């Protein structure tokens, strides 16, 4: 699903992606995009920010409760605040116009690869019981289940996004060990860390909030300044 109100640009993107084998549906208004995304559940949404009726931020926020696929936000405004807000509202990646065709294609492929790998994990039946299942991690009151891609804390299911789950799972697998930002970025996006990617920091902030960590002085998922993050195994009592 391509959400873009500039028709010449929308047609250019649609033609290019169609040549690459993708079926593209176009929406030119934010309000219509919300309805189409809910009805069609596309594999991926490319979402412009500057849209009539409802802008891209409003669309992103509106669809996240019912749409679990990846959202790639696109804008002509090279403002860090736009990127941060988009990621906080649930976007998975962010590109600035003008974007080179191959760069756009590589971002799309990376997002779809991640979805495909997630579906493979979730559809494979456990080979062993839950007590010894490597796809289930338990830390006192916290349980992270990669089979169903669910997270529970103190018996209550936590509403966690796909991106958040991936980062939490990666950190929990290395409990009590430092995981660098570079490792997290490469695992999530399939590209090398350029030193300026803030998406991981935003995801960690959202995870902490949902898991009851202290935002000002986190003790469950600690920040090791200049290096990365540390999931504390014994902090989930």
């Amino acid at each position: 699903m391509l959400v873009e109100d500039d028709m010449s640009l929308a047609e250019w993107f649609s033609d290019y992606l169609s040549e690459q084998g993708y079926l593209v549906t176009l929406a030119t208004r934010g309000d219509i995009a919300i309805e189409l995304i809910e009805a069609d559940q596309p594999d991926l949404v490319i979402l412009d920010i500057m849209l009539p009726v409802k802008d891209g931020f409003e669309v992103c926020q509106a669809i996240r409760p019912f749409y679990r696929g990846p959202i790639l936000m696109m804008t002509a405004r090279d403002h860090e605040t736009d990127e941060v807000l988009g990621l906080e509202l649930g976007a998975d990646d962010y590109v600035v116009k003008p974007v080179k065709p191959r760069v756009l294609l590589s971002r799309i492929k990376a997002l779809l690869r991640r979805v495909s790998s997630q579906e493979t994990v979730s559809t494979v039946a456990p080979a062993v019981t839950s007590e010894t299942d490597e796809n289930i991690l338990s830390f006192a009151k916290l349980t992270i289940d990669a089979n169903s891609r669910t997270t529970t804390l103190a018996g209550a299911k936590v509403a966690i996004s796909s991106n958040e789950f991936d980062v939490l799972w990666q950190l929990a697998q290395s409990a009590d060990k430092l995981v660098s930002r570079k490792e997290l970025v490469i695992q999530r996006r399939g590209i090398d860390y350029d030193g300026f990617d803030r998406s991981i920091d935003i995801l960690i902030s959202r995870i902490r909030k949902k898991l009851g960590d202290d935002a000002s002085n986190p003790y469950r998922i600690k920040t090791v300044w200049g290096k990365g993050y540390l999931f504390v195994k014994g902090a989930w009592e």
Side-chain angles (χ1 to χ4, degrees), residues 52-114:
V53 186
K54 288 184 178 291
D55 66 26
F57 296 128
E58 293 174 295
V59 173
C60 186
Q61 186 175 31
I63 67 176
R64 261 310 174 213
F66 58 77
Y67 177 67
R68 288 318 206 188
I71 299 173
L72 174 60
M73 296 200 81
M74 182 169 58
T75 183
R77 304 192 308 181
D78 189 10
H79 294 168
E80 183 184 12
T81 53
D82 284 353
E83 180 178 1
V84 170
L85 179 56
L87 293 169
E88 287 179 340
L89 291 174
D92 298 276
D93 205 351
Y94 186 100
V95 292
V96 178
K97 300 176 187 175
V99 56
K100 296 179 181 178
R102 290 184 179 180
V103 172
L104 178 65
L105 185 62
S106 68
R107 296 291 184 89
I108 291 171
K109 287 182 176 180
L111 289 169
L112 292 176
R113 274 198 307 270
R114 191 164 74 245

Side-chain angles (χ1 to χ4, degrees), residues 168-184:
L168 177 61
W169 179 261
Q170 189 176 355
L171 290 170
Q173 280 187 308
S174 301
D176 287 341
K177 296 180 181 178
L178 176 69
V179 180
S180 69
R181 282 185 176 83
K182 180 176 181 179
E183 291 175 88
L184 290 166

Side-chain angles (χ1 to χ4, degrees), residues 75-228:
T75 183
R77 304 192 308 181
D78 189 10
H79 294 168
E80 183 184 12
T81 53
D82 284 353
E83 180 178 1
V84 170
L85 179 56
L87 293 169
E88 287 179 340
L89 291 174
D92 298 276
D93 205 351
Y94 186 100
V95 292
V96 178
K97 300 176 187 175
V99 56
K100 296 179 181 178
R102 290 184 179 180
V103 172
L104 178 65
L105 185 62
S106 68
R107 296 291 184 89
I108 291 171
K109 287 182 176 180
L111 289 169
L112 292 176
R113 274 198 307 270
R114 191 164 74 245
V115 171
S116 178
S117 66
Q118 292 166 2
E119 290 176 347
T120 299
V121 170
S122 64
T123 56
V124 174
V128 292
T129 63
S130 60
E131 288 78 8
T132 57
D133 189 349
E134 293 182 354
N135 286 330
I136 298 177
L137 300 176
S138 295
F139 306 91
K141 295 180 179 179
L142 177 70
T143 300
I144 310 168
D145 188 340
N147 296 309
S148 60
R149 294 185 63 78
T150 56
T151 303
T152 56
L153 180 62
K157 187 175 180 180
V158 180
I160 193 166
S161 73
S162 181
N163 263 348
E164 292 162 359
F165 184 91
D166 289 340
V167 172
L168 177 61
W169 179 261
Q170 189 176 355
L171 290 170
Q173 280 187 308
S174 301
D176 287 341
K177 296 180 181 178
L178 176 69
V179 180
S180 69
R181 282 185 176 83
K182 180 176 181 179
E183 291 175 88
L184 290 166
V185 170
I186 292 174
Q187 177 68 24
R188 194 178 74 86
R189 295 178 58 181
I191 59 176
D192 206 353
Y193 178 54
D194 61 6
F196 298 98
D197 193 310
R198 292 208 48 207
S199 62
I200 292 297
D201 300 323
I202 294 167
L203 284 171
I204 295 290
S205 177
R206 281 162 33 188
I207 293 168
R208 283 173 173 157
K209 183 177 180 180
K210 292 181 178 182
L211 296 182
D213 205 354
D214 185 342
S216 60
N217 187 27
Y219 65 97
R220 288 178 160 172
I221 301 176
K222 293 184 176 181
T223 299
V224 182
W225 294 107
K227 295 183 178 180

